[in-house]
Amino acid sequence: MKTGPTALAVLIAAIYAPAMAPAQTATPPVPAASGATAQAAPAEATRSELEAVVVTGQKRKESAQKAALSITAVDGASINEQGQNGLQDALKSVPGVVMQEQSRGSTPTIRGLGADLPPGVGDGAVATNYDGVYNVRPEGSQSMFDVSRIEVLRGPQSTLYGRSGPAGVVNVITNDPTFKREGHATFEVGSYGLLRSELVLNQPLSETLSIRGALTSQNRDGYMSNGTTDAKTFAGRLKVLYKPKEDFSVLLGTEAIRLNGRGVGTVPAYATEPADPYEAPPAPGQRDKYQGQKYWAQVDTNVGIGRLTALASTASAKNEELFPTGPNVVEGQDPKSLRQNSFELRLASQPESALKWLVGYYNYSNHLVVSTVPTGSPAGTTLTVQDTTADSNALFGNVSVPLAAGMRAIGGLRYSSDKKSVKHNMFFPVQDSAGSFSRTDGKIGLEVDTGPQSLMYATVSTGYRPGGWSLAPPYDPIKPETLTSLEVGSKNQFFDNRLRLNASLYYYKYKNYQISDLFFPPGSPFPVLAFYNVEKATNYGGEMEATWRASDVDTLGLSMSYVHATFDSSLVLHPDPIGSPAVDIQGRTLPHSPKLTVAARYARQFYFESGASVSARFDVRHVGSQYVAPNQQPLSFQKAYWTGDVSVSYRPADANWSLTGYVKNVNDVAVKTGYFLGYNTLAAPRTFGLVANIEF
């Protein structure tokens, strides 16, 4: 049976569900919990309805069910309780999302679009923001602490965000200071010698001033047999909130992260899985040391016609590394230095206004230097592999206009101007390249309230990624990549808000899709990283998410994504390893695009006469086959797989602490997350642990 037509039929049915549903639906009976020691939850503890999910993806607070776009929110409390310590762990069940492994962290791919071009050379198709600030590199993804929620917005968001994300946006939102004295501590132990701790303190200093500090550390042995892919992490964050009145506030923040240890590990790439996929060659002396810091300030005020927000930030980073084996046999600094600055100014309509609008200005700049010393080079040899600068300015606006009762028109415009420069010296003669790119993008659409708890929407929007230059002769320019998106979606709640059903369908057309080519030229000991454009590509599919509160103590969830993404134009990438057949990618699948992904979960709450409670959760996921790199070679192919997680939590009566035990990747499947010059990176094997949370 072919999965494509079946999956699309399910998505279409989910979108048109509200049109076929009755206006009023009786609440289903609630079964009591079974067992001699457990009982149905007491009235004060029950939650017969699904909790409302509030998001700010459209730069205003609203229910996710009222946002006319495809969005998923992941709760921060669940991230902490389940021991989901990185972005890859937190987003693994979000439909349409695949995580790409990088040297120090992970980057998200949404609907098959991600970041195969390195930072500084190309722009990622997904904009990842931490507390509203875009981050060009993935290191911050390794440490999730004191997180309020993570929002994933699928599809072009050019008219809403300063930093354009043609594939979508991931917002990591941490907790701001409150005017309540509170805090929590988390301690986690687990397999591979895992020790993790987190401490959060929130302290009001006056009626108008409050401070919040968060610290975390993580130590874990490596997953690979040679001790690599370990974790030696320390991070901290400090926020200060000044709020003298309800319609004016100043938020100051600073954050620092230190990553030590042996760094990411690789295994010889395989087409047929070996007996021990995590068996890696010896890597004596391998080390990786990264440190980064960020400062930001945000001012919000009421100016009568709307809410004015100004957000400024600056960040820097540096790294020292030694990789004696694997795809990069080098000692160097990646980055040797990184400085990025951003400023965003936006004015939005008042929350109570029926006409909802947003206008903004955005500036972003960075300077990134990467250096390396190939092993065996003469003393004092240093090659500046990459010296790039970028400066981006954008004007953007979005509006929702009431047309009739329950019907609104959506519109937006964006103008982007990008300047880039590259100083080349990757084992080749030096050559400098510089230039500018510009683009106007837009969005039009319609949203209709089809019932008291139902919304349907349709949009046409565009997005773009600026061009650049290849790092290898003849240093050809990379053309800007453009995307045109058509999307329809539906959001619904039934049975007195016990059942939530959301679905979306999309159709993408790409022009000048940007792709990388990493290979060893015949007879050369040095790799070449080149970039090209594929003239045309097509991508269509959709997502579905359903959550059902079957009873006051039982919750079931089901999500699905379908992606059909193919190259429509011819391009032959260099074979890797040498001697492999070259592949013309025309008609083949885009990387990071599993055709069918399904995730299901079941959570059960048990309440006891003593007042204590136990909650159990079971998650299972099926991920379709995919290429984890653009080269379409057997060594970069990840076959379809099933996996799952189990967790059990205990909370005593009237207590301020809880204890959670978990097992992740219960069937111990080895999953490829990247491919580089004959080597694979792998996701974590089966792990288990115990998390203690204390609130005060």
Side-chain angles (χ1 to χ4, degrees), residues 47-66:
R47 293 182 298 179
S48 59
E49 297 184 359
L50 292 169
E51 290 185 351
V53 178
V54 177
V55 296
T56 55
Q58 296 193 110
K59 300 300 178 73
R60 60 178 182 260
K61 288 185 178 181
E62 61 184 342
S63 166
Q65 296 302 108
K66 297 297 183 182

Side-chain angles (χ1 to χ4, degrees), residues 461-526:
S461 57
T462 63
Y464 115 112
R465 285 198 279 179
W469 290 268
S470 187
L471 295 179
Y475 304 117
D476 291 332
I478 312 164
K479 298 177 183 178
E481 174 186 298
T482 61
L483 165 66
T484 300
S485 164
L486 288 77
E487 182 168 335
V488 294
S490 174
K491 298 189 172 186
N492 316 277
Q493 293 196 155
F494 305 117
F495 306 124
D496 294 333
N497 295 335
R498 284 181 177 269
L499 175 63
R500 181 177 296 148
L501 177 62
N502 299 337
S504 57
L505 290 170
Y506 68 90
Y507 182 85
Y508 289 172
K509 290 295 290 187
Y510 307 103
K511 184 178 180 181
N512 295 321
Y513 177 94
Q514 296 173 355
I515 194 169
S516 63
D517 192 10
L518 181 61
F519 62 96
F520 280 106
S524 172
F526 301 127

Side-chain angles (χ1 to χ4, degrees), residues 553 604-608 611-616 647-652:
V553 294
R604 171 81 174 182
Q605 194 84 14
F606 299 90
Y607 292 92
F608 298 88
S613 65
V614 170
S615 59
S647 65
V648 178
S649 299
Y650 170 75
R651 180 179 288 273

